[in-house]
Amino acid sequence: MKKLLTALLGVLAFAGYASAANIADDFRAHYTAASDLSAYNKDINTLIGIADFHTGKGTSFPGFDVGATFSAIKPSSSNNISSEDYIYTGFITAETKIPVLDLGVVVRGTDMNGFESLGGGLKYNFGLFDTIHISLSGFYDRGKTDWYTTDHYSASAVASMNVLFLTPYVGLGYDYGELKTRDLFPSRSTSDGAMRYTAGVNLKPFPFVYVFAAYTKTSNNHGLQGGIGLNF
């Protein structure tokens, strides 16, 4: 268990190292009155939202799932604030099940690369034909940097199929976020939403241990995601 937690933290440490300039400093250096804050907000929404799922299968009581997700978003062509090729961050997530309500409950958060966020959500899972698993979820996250705050809301649906030791999955989601600048002139705010579409695969190299990778596309940007976790 200690070795796995060390590995999870290592994934997040690498994510922070991979970015040449942290998210907050990059925003401050390029934000002006002419900046397309709406395009930037959509990219940040996607960065958070792609952490919604990595399989259609949920946990069972009293089981749990704890993992680390590394996300990278290619800024849209309209985003004239972000100067890096990709915006990076990572999340630690933990999930368990509420037996009475038959719902999964998830908490997630990050404090990396100049970006902080804490949030959570609820999941409802069901199976078809013993091999196909479907999950419906909703999340809320409160994020911030030194220069803005963001409230992120998302709804997602994902389906996965067990194929030997692999679990391919496809999903779609909707991200909506409200971003407000702080300690900056001019002070501005924006509210924006967009659909996202994801395809990925889970691999279980050892009992209880999984790794996953996925690709996400929206009308404005695309993203890559990878992670590692422990599931009982």
Short mmCIF file of all heavy atoms in Angstrom, two decimals, residues 4-60:
data_model
loop_
_atom_site.label_atom_id
_atom_site.label_comp_id
_atom_site.label_asym_id
_atom_site.label_seq_id
_atom_site.Cartn_x
_atom_site.Cartn_y
_atom_site.Cartn_z
N LEU A 4 2.39 1.81 -3.40
CA LEU A 4 1.43 2.33 -4.38
C LEU A 4 1.18 3.81 -4.16
O LEU A 4 1.17 4.60 -5.11
CB LEU A 4 0.11 1.57 -4.31
CG LEU A 4 -0.94 2.05 -5.31
CD1 LEU A 4 -0.48 1.83 -6.73
CD2 LEU A 4 -2.27 1.38 -5.08
N LEU A 5 1.01 4.22 -2.91
CA LEU A 5 0.78 5.63 -2.63
C LEU A 5 1.98 6.46 -3.06
O LEU A 5 1.84 7.58 -3.57
CB LEU A 5 0.49 5.83 -1.14
CG LEU A 5 -0.85 5.29 -0.65
CD1 LEU A 5 -0.97 5.47 0.85
CD2 LEU A 5 -2.01 5.98 -1.36
N THR A 6 3.20 5.92 -2.89
CA THR A 6 4.40 6.60 -3.35
C THR A 6 4.37 6.77 -4.86
O THR A 6 4.73 7.81 -5.40
CB THR A 6 5.65 5.81 -2.94
OG1 THR A 6 5.69 5.71 -1.51
CG2 THR A 6 6.92 6.52 -3.41
N ALA A 7 3.91 5.73 -5.56
CA ALA A 7 3.81 5.80 -7.02
C ALA A 7 2.79 6.84 -7.45
O ALA A 7 3.01 7.58 -8.42
CB ALA A 7 3.44 4.43 -7.58
N LEU A 8 1.66 6.90 -6.74
CA LEU A 8 0.63 7.88 -7.06
C LEU A 8 1.16 9.31 -6.93
O LEU A 8 0.95 10.15 -7.79
CB LEU A 8 -0.59 7.70 -6.16
CG LEU A 8 -1.33 6.37 -6.26
CD1 LEU A 8 -2.51 6.38 -5.31
CD2 LEU A 8 -1.79 6.09 -7.67
N LEU A 9 1.87 9.55 -5.84
CA LEU A 9 2.44 10.87 -5.62
C LEU A 9 3.51 11.18 -6.66
O LEU A 9 3.68 12.32 -7.09
CB LEU A 9 3.02 10.97 -4.21
CG LEU A 9 1.99 10.91 -3.08
CD1 LEU A 9 2.70 10.86 -1.73
CD2 LEU A 9 1.04 12.09 -3.13
N GLY A 10 4.22 10.15 -7.10
CA GLY A 10 5.23 10.32 -8.13
C GLY A 10 4.64 10.76 -9.46
O GLY A 10 5.22 11.58 -10.18
N VAL A 11 3.46 10.23 -9.79
CA VAL A 11 2.77 10.64 -11.02
C VAL A 11 2.46 12.13 -10.97
O VAL A 11 2.68 12.86 -11.93
CB VAL A 11 1.47 9.82 -11.21
CG1 VAL A 11 0.63 10.42 -12.33
CG2 VAL A 11 1.80 8.37 -11.51
N LEU A 12 1.97 12.59 -9.84
CA LEU A 12 1.63 14.01 -9.70
C LEU A 12 2.88 14.88 -9.68
O LEU A 12 2.88 15.99 -10.22
CB LEU A 12 0.82 14.23 -8.43
CG LEU A 12 -0.55 13.53 -8.41
CD1 LEU A 12 -1.34 13.96 -7.20
CD2 LEU A 12 -1.33 13.81 -9.66
N ALA A 13 3.94 14.40 -9.07
CA ALA A 13 5.18 15.16 -9.06
C ALA A 13 5.72 15.34 -10.47
O ALA A 13 6.17 16.41 -10.87
CB ALA A 13 6.22 14.46 -8.19
N PHE A 14 5.65 14.27 -11.27
CA PHE A 14 6.09 14.36 -12.66
C PHE A 14 5.23 15.33 -13.44
O PHE A 14 5.72 16.09 -14.29
CB PHE A 14 6.04 12.98 -13.32
CG PHE A 14 6.34 13.02 -14.79
CD1 PHE A 14 7.65 13.14 -15.24
CD2 PHE A 14 5.32 12.96 -15.73
CE1 PHE A 14 7.93 13.18 -16.59
CE2 PHE A 14 5.60 13.00 -17.08
CZ PHE A 14 6.92 13.11 -17.51
N ALA A 15 3.93 15.32 -13.18
CA ALA A 15 3.02 16.23 -13.88
C ALA A 15 3.41 17.68 -13.63
O ALA A 15 3.40 18.50 -14.55
CB ALA A 15 1.58 15.98 -13.44
N GLY A 16 3.73 18.01 -12.40
CA GLY A 16 4.12 19.37 -12.08
C GLY A 16 5.45 19.73 -12.72
O GLY A 16 5.65 20.86 -13.18
N TYR A 17 6.38 18.77 -12.79
CA TYR A 17 7.69 19.03 -13.37
C TYR A 17 7.61 19.21 -14.87
O TYR A 17 8.38 19.96 -15.48
CB TYR A 17 8.63 17.86 -13.05
CG TYR A 17 9.99 17.97 -13.68
CD1 TYR A 17 10.95 18.82 -13.14
CD2 TYR A 17 10.31 17.22 -14.82
CE1 TYR A 17 12.21 18.92 -13.72
CE2 TYR A 17 11.55 17.33 -15.41
CZ TYR A 17 12.50 18.18 -14.86
OH TYR A 17 13.74 18.27 -15.43
N ALA A 18 6.62 18.51 -15.51
CA ALA A 18 6.55 18.49 -16.97
C ALA A 18 6.24 19.86 -17.56
O ALA A 18 6.57 20.16 -18.69
CB ALA A 18 5.50 17.48 -17.43
N SER A 19 5.56 20.72 -16.82
CA SER A 19 5.17 22.02 -17.35
C SER A 19 6.27 23.05 -17.11
O SER A 19 6.76 23.20 -16.00
CB SER A 19 3.87 22.48 -16.68
OG SER A 19 3.45 23.69 -17.24
N ALA A 20 6.67 23.77 -18.17
CA ALA A 20 7.76 24.72 -18.06
C ALA A 20 7.37 25.92 -17.21
O ALA A 20 8.17 26.48 -16.49
CB ALA A 20 8.21 25.16 -19.45
N ALA A 21 6.12 26.37 -17.32
CA ALA A 21 5.63 27.50 -16.54
C ALA A 21 4.33 27.09 -15.88
O ALA A 21 3.49 26.44 -16.50
CB ALA A 21 5.39 28.70 -17.45
N ASN A 22 4.18 27.43 -14.60
CA ASN A 22 2.96 26.97 -13.95
C ASN A 22 1.74 27.76 -14.45
O ASN A 22 1.86 28.82 -15.06
CB ASN A 22 3.10 26.96 -12.43
CG ASN A 22 2.97 28.33 -11.79
OD1 ASN A 22 2.11 29.13 -12.13
ND2 ASN A 22 3.85 28.60 -10.84
N ILE A 23 0.57 27.18 -14.20
CA ILE A 23 -0.67 27.71 -14.78
C ILE A 23 -0.93 29.15 -14.34
O ILE A 23 -1.31 30.00 -15.16
CB ILE A 23 -1.85 26.80 -14.38
CG1 ILE A 23 -1.70 25.43 -15.05
CG2 ILE A 23 -3.18 27.43 -14.77
CD1 ILE A 23 -2.72 24.40 -14.59
N ALA A 24 -0.70 29.45 -13.07
CA ALA A 24 -0.97 30.79 -12.56
C ALA A 24 -0.04 31.83 -13.18
O ALA A 24 -0.48 32.90 -13.63
CB ALA A 24 -0.83 30.81 -11.04
N ASP A 25 1.27 31.54 -13.20
CA ASP A 25 2.23 32.50 -13.74
C ASP A 25 2.01 32.74 -15.23
O ASP A 25 2.14 33.87 -15.72
CB ASP A 25 3.65 32.01 -13.50
CG ASP A 25 4.04 32.04 -12.03
OD1 ASP A 25 3.33 32.70 -11.25
OD2 ASP A 25 5.04 31.39 -11.66
N ASP A 26 1.66 31.67 -15.95
CA ASP A 26 1.42 31.80 -17.39
C ASP A 26 0.19 32.69 -17.64
O ASP A 26 0.20 33.53 -18.55
CB ASP A 26 1.21 30.42 -17.99
CG ASP A 26 1.33 30.41 -19.51
OD1 ASP A 26 2.23 31.10 -20.04
OD2 ASP A 26 0.52 29.72 -20.17
N PHE A 27 -0.83 32.52 -16.82
CA PHE A 27 -2.03 33.36 -16.96
C PHE A 27 -1.70 34.83 -16.70
O PHE A 27 -2.08 35.71 -17.47
CB PHE A 27 -3.11 32.88 -15.98
CG PHE A 27 -4.39 33.65 -16.06
CD1 PHE A 27 -5.39 33.28 -16.94
CD2 PHE A 27 -4.62 34.75 -15.24
CE1 PHE A 27 -6.58 34.00 -17.03
CE2 PHE A 27 -5.79 35.47 -15.31
CZ PHE A 27 -6.79 35.10 -16.21
N ARG A 28 -0.98 35.10 -15.61
CA ARG A 28 -0.64 36.48 -15.24
C ARG A 28 0.21 37.15 -16.31
O ARG A 28 0.04 38.34 -16.60
CB ARG A 28 0.10 36.50 -13.90
CG ARG A 28 0.48 37.91 -13.42
CD ARG A 28 -0.77 38.71 -13.15
NE ARG A 28 -0.49 40.09 -12.79
CZ ARG A 28 -0.44 41.09 -13.66
NH1 ARG A 28 -0.61 40.86 -14.96
NH2 ARG A 28 -0.20 42.32 -13.26
N ALA A 29 1.11 36.40 -16.92
CA ALA A 29 2.04 36.98 -17.88
C ALA A 29 1.36 37.38 -19.19
O ALA A 29 1.84 38.28 -19.89
CB ALA A 29 3.17 35.99 -18.17
N HIS A 30 0.23 36.75 -19.53
CA HIS A 30 -0.36 36.97 -20.85
C HIS A 30 -1.79 37.51 -20.80
O HIS A 30 -2.37 37.77 -21.86
CB HIS A 30 -0.34 35.66 -21.64
CG HIS A 30 1.05 35.12 -21.85
ND1 HIS A 30 1.59 34.14 -21.05
CD2 HIS A 30 2.00 35.44 -22.75
CE1 HIS A 30 2.82 33.89 -21.46
NE2 HIS A 30 3.10 34.65 -22.46
N TYR A 31 -2.34 37.69 -19.61
CA TYR A 31 -3.71 38.22 -19.51
C TYR A 31 -3.73 39.72 -19.78
O TYR A 31 -2.96 40.49 -19.20
CB TYR A 31 -4.26 37.94 -18.11
CG TYR A 31 -5.59 38.62 -17.84
CD1 TYR A 31 -6.77 38.10 -18.33
CD2 TYR A 31 -5.65 39.80 -17.08
CE1 TYR A 31 -7.98 38.72 -18.09
CE2 TYR A 31 -6.85 40.42 -16.81
CZ TYR A 31 -8.02 39.87 -17.34
OH TYR A 31 -9.22 40.50 -17.09
N THR A 32 -4.64 40.13 -20.68
CA THR A 32 -4.86 41.55 -20.97
C THR A 32 -6.36 41.76 -21.20
O THR A 32 -7.15 40.81 -21.21
CB THR A 32 -4.11 41.99 -22.25
OG1 THR A 32 -4.69 41.36 -23.40
CG2 THR A 32 -2.63 41.64 -22.17
N ALA A 33 -6.73 43.02 -21.43
CA ALA A 33 -8.14 43.33 -21.70
C ALA A 33 -8.61 42.68 -23.00
O ALA A 33 -9.81 42.46 -23.19
CB ALA A 33 -8.32 44.84 -21.77
N ALA A 34 -7.67 42.35 -23.90
CA ALA A 34 -8.02 41.74 -25.17
C ALA A 34 -8.00 40.22 -25.13
O ALA A 34 -8.27 39.57 -26.14
CB ALA A 34 -7.07 42.23 -26.26
N SER A 35 -7.71 39.64 -23.97
CA SER A 35 -7.62 38.18 -23.87
C SER A 35 -8.98 37.53 -24.06
O SER A 35 -10.00 38.06 -23.62
CB SER A 35 -7.07 37.79 -22.49
OG SER A 35 -5.75 38.25 -22.32
N ASP A 36 -8.98 36.37 -24.71
CA ASP A 36 -10.21 35.60 -24.89
C ASP A 36 -10.42 34.74 -23.64
O ASP A 36 -10.01 33.58 -23.60
CB ASP A 36 -10.12 34.74 -26.14
CG ASP A 36 -11.47 34.15 -26.54
OD1 ASP A 36 -12.32 33.98 -25.65
OD2 ASP A 36 -11.66 33.85 -27.73
N LEU A 37 -11.04 35.34 -22.63
CA LEU A 37 -11.21 34.65 -21.35
C LEU A 37 -12.15 33.46 -21.49
O LEU A 37 -12.01 32.45 -20.78
CB LEU A 37 -11.74 35.63 -20.30
CG LEU A 37 -11.65 35.20 -18.84
CD1 LEU A 37 -10.19 35.02 -18.42
CD2 LEU A 37 -12.33 36.22 -17.93
N SER A 38 -13.11 33.54 -22.40
CA SER A 38 -14.05 32.44 -22.62
C SER A 38 -13.33 31.20 -23.13
O SER A 38 -13.58 30.08 -22.65
CB SER A 38 -15.13 32.86 -23.61
OG SER A 38 -15.99 31.79 -23.90
N ALA A 39 -12.43 31.37 -24.09
CA ALA A 39 -11.67 30.22 -24.62
C ALA A 39 -10.79 29.61 -23.55
O ALA A 39 -10.67 28.39 -23.44
CB ALA A 39 -10.84 30.66 -25.82
N TYR A 40 -10.17 30.46 -22.74
CA TYR A 40 -9.33 29.96 -21.64
C TYR A 40 -10.17 29.17 -20.64
O TYR A 40 -9.75 28.10 -20.18
CB TYR A 40 -8.64 31.14 -20.95
CG TYR A 40 -7.73 30.72 -19.82
CD1 TYR A 40 -6.40 30.41 -20.05
CD2 TYR A 40 -8.21 30.62 -18.50
CE1 TYR A 40 -5.56 30.02 -19.02
CE2 TYR A 40 -7.37 30.23 -17.47
CZ TYR A 40 -6.05 29.93 -17.73
OH TYR A 40 -5.23 29.53 -16.70
N ASN A 41 -11.34 29.69 -20.32
CA ASN A 41 -12.22 29.03 -19.36
C ASN A 41 -12.63 27.65 -19.86
O ASN A 41 -12.66 26.68 -19.08
CB ASN A 41 -13.45 29.90 -19.13
CG ASN A 41 -14.37 29.35 -18.05
OD1 ASN A 41 -13.91 28.77 -17.07
ND2 ASN A 41 -15.66 29.52 -18.23
N LYS A 42 -12.94 27.51 -21.13
CA LYS A 42 -13.31 26.22 -21.68
C LYS A 42 -12.16 25.21 -21.57
O LYS A 42 -12.38 24.02 -21.31
CB LYS A 42 -13.74 26.37 -23.14
CG LYS A 42 -15.07 27.09 -23.31
CD LYS A 42 -15.42 27.25 -24.78
CE LYS A 42 -16.73 28.01 -24.95
NZ LYS A 42 -17.06 28.22 -26.39
N ASP A 43 -10.93 25.68 -21.78
CA ASP A 43 -9.79 24.78 -21.65
C ASP A 43 -9.61 24.31 -20.21
O ASP A 43 -9.32 23.13 -19.96
CB ASP A 43 -8.52 25.48 -22.13
CG ASP A 43 -8.48 25.65 -23.65
OD1 ASP A 43 -9.25 24.96 -24.33
OD2 ASP A 43 -7.69 26.46 -24.13
N ILE A 44 -9.78 25.21 -19.25
CA ILE A 44 -9.68 24.83 -17.84
C ILE A 44 -10.80 23.88 -17.45
O ILE A 44 -10.60 22.91 -16.70
CB ILE A 44 -9.68 26.08 -16.94
CG1 ILE A 44 -8.42 26.92 -17.17
CG2 ILE A 44 -9.78 25.68 -15.46
CD1 ILE A 44 -7.12 26.20 -16.83
N ASN A 45 -12.00 24.12 -17.98
CA ASN A 45 -13.12 23.21 -17.72
C ASN A 45 -12.80 21.80 -18.20
O ASN A 45 -13.08 20.81 -17.50
CB ASN A 45 -14.38 23.71 -18.43
CG ASN A 45 -14.94 24.97 -17.83
OD1 ASN A 45 -14.66 25.31 -16.68
ND2 ASN A 45 -15.72 25.69 -18.61
N THR A 46 -12.24 21.68 -19.39
CA THR A 46 -11.88 20.37 -19.92
C THR A 46 -10.79 19.72 -19.07
O THR A 46 -10.83 18.51 -18.82
CB THR A 46 -11.39 20.48 -21.38
OG1 THR A 46 -12.38 21.13 -22.17
CG2 THR A 46 -11.10 19.12 -21.96
N LEU A 47 -9.83 20.51 -18.64
CA LEU A 47 -8.74 20.00 -17.81
C LEU A 47 -9.28 19.31 -16.55
O LEU A 47 -8.77 18.26 -16.13
CB LEU A 47 -7.81 21.15 -17.42
CG LEU A 47 -6.52 20.77 -16.70
CD1 LEU A 47 -5.59 20.01 -17.62
CD2 LEU A 47 -5.84 22.02 -16.15
N ILE A 48 -10.31 19.89 -15.95
CA ILE A 48 -10.91 19.30 -14.76
C ILE A 48 -11.85 18.16 -15.13
O ILE A 48 -11.83 17.08 -14.53
CB ILE A 48 -11.69 20.37 -13.96
CG1 ILE A 48 -10.77 21.51 -13.54
CG2 ILE A 48 -12.33 19.74 -12.72
CD1 ILE A 48 -11.50 22.69 -12.91
N GLY A 49 -12.65 18.37 -16.16
CA GLY A 49 -13.71 17.42 -16.49
C GLY A 49 -13.23 16.07 -16.95
O GLY A 49 -13.92 15.06 -16.72
N ILE A 50 -12.08 15.99 -17.61
CA ILE A 50 -11.64 14.68 -18.09
C ILE A 50 -11.25 13.74 -16.97
O ILE A 50 -11.03 12.55 -17.21
CB ILE A 50 -10.50 14.80 -19.12
CG1 ILE A 50 -9.24 15.40 -18.51
CG2 ILE A 50 -10.93 15.58 -20.33
CD1 ILE A 50 -8.06 15.38 -19.47
N ALA A 51 -11.19 14.26 -15.75
CA ALA A 51 -10.92 13.39 -14.60
C ALA A 51 -12.20 12.74 -14.07
O ALA A 51 -12.17 12.05 -13.06
CB ALA A 51 -10.25 14.19 -13.49
N ASP A 52 -13.33 12.92 -14.76
CA ASP A 52 -14.61 12.39 -14.27
C ASP A 52 -14.64 10.86 -14.23
O ASP A 52 -15.31 10.28 -13.37
CB ASP A 52 -15.77 12.87 -15.15
CG ASP A 52 -16.24 14.26 -14.78
OD1 ASP A 52 -15.57 14.93 -13.99
OD2 ASP A 52 -17.29 14.68 -15.32
N PHE A 53 -13.97 10.18 -15.16
CA PHE A 53 -14.09 8.72 -15.22
C PHE A 53 -12.87 8.08 -15.88
O PHE A 53 -12.13 8.73 -16.61
CB PHE A 53 -15.36 8.31 -15.98
CG PHE A 53 -15.47 8.88 -17.37
CD1 PHE A 53 -14.76 8.33 -18.44
CD2 PHE A 53 -16.30 9.97 -17.63
CE1 PHE A 53 -14.87 8.84 -19.72
CE2 PHE A 53 -16.44 10.49 -18.91
CZ PHE A 53 -15.70 9.92 -19.96
N HIS A 54 -12.69 6.80 -15.62
CA HIS A 54 -11.70 5.99 -16.33
C HIS A 54 -12.24 4.58 -16.57
O HIS A 54 -11.51 3.71 -17.06
CB HIS A 54 -10.37 5.94 -15.57
CG HIS A 54 -10.48 5.35 -14.19
ND1 HIS A 54 -10.48 4.00 -13.97
CD2 HIS A 54 -10.61 5.93 -12.98
CE1 HIS A 54 -10.60 3.76 -12.67
NE2 HIS A 54 -10.68 4.92 -12.05
N THR A 55 -13.51 4.35 -16.26
CA THR A 55 -14.19 3.09 -16.51
C THR A 55 -15.67 3.28 -16.25
O THR A 55 -16.07 4.26 -15.60
CB THR A 55 -13.65 1.96 -15.61
OG1 THR A 55 -14.37 0.75 -15.87
CG2 THR A 55 -13.81 2.31 -14.14
N GLY A 56 -16.50 2.36 -16.75
CA GLY A 56 -17.92 2.42 -16.46
C GLY A 56 -18.29 1.63 -15.22
O GLY A 56 -19.45 1.65 -14.80
N LYS A 57 -17.32 0.94 -14.64
CA LYS A 57 -17.59 0.11 -13.48
C LYS A 57 -17.31 0.88 -12.20
O LYS A 57 -16.28 1.55 -12.08
CB LYS A 57 -16.73 -1.15 -13.52
CG LYS A 57 -17.08 -2.18 -12.48
CD LYS A 57 -16.27 -3.46 -12.67
CE LYS A 57 -16.67 -4.53 -11.67
NZ LYS A 57 -15.91 -5.80 -11.86
N GLY A 58 -18.19 0.80 -11.24
CA GLY A 58 -18.01 1.50 -9.98
C GLY A 58 -17.52 0.58 -8.87
O GLY A 58 -17.28 -0.61 -9.09
N THR A 59 -17.38 1.13 -7.70
CA THR A 59 -16.96 0.34 -6.54
C THR A 59 -18.18 -0.33 -5.91
O THR A 59 -19.33 0.00 -6.20
CB THR A 59 -16.29 1.24 -5.49
OG1 THR A 59 -17.21 2.27 -5.11
CG2 THR A 59 -15.03 1.86 -6.03
N SER A 60 -17.91 -1.29 -5.05
CA SER A 60 -18.97 -1.96 -4.29
C SER A 60 -18.66 -1.82 -2.81
O SER A 60 -17.49 -1.84 -2.40
CB SER A 60 -19.06 -3.44 -4.68
OG SER A 60 -17.82 -4.09 -4.46
#
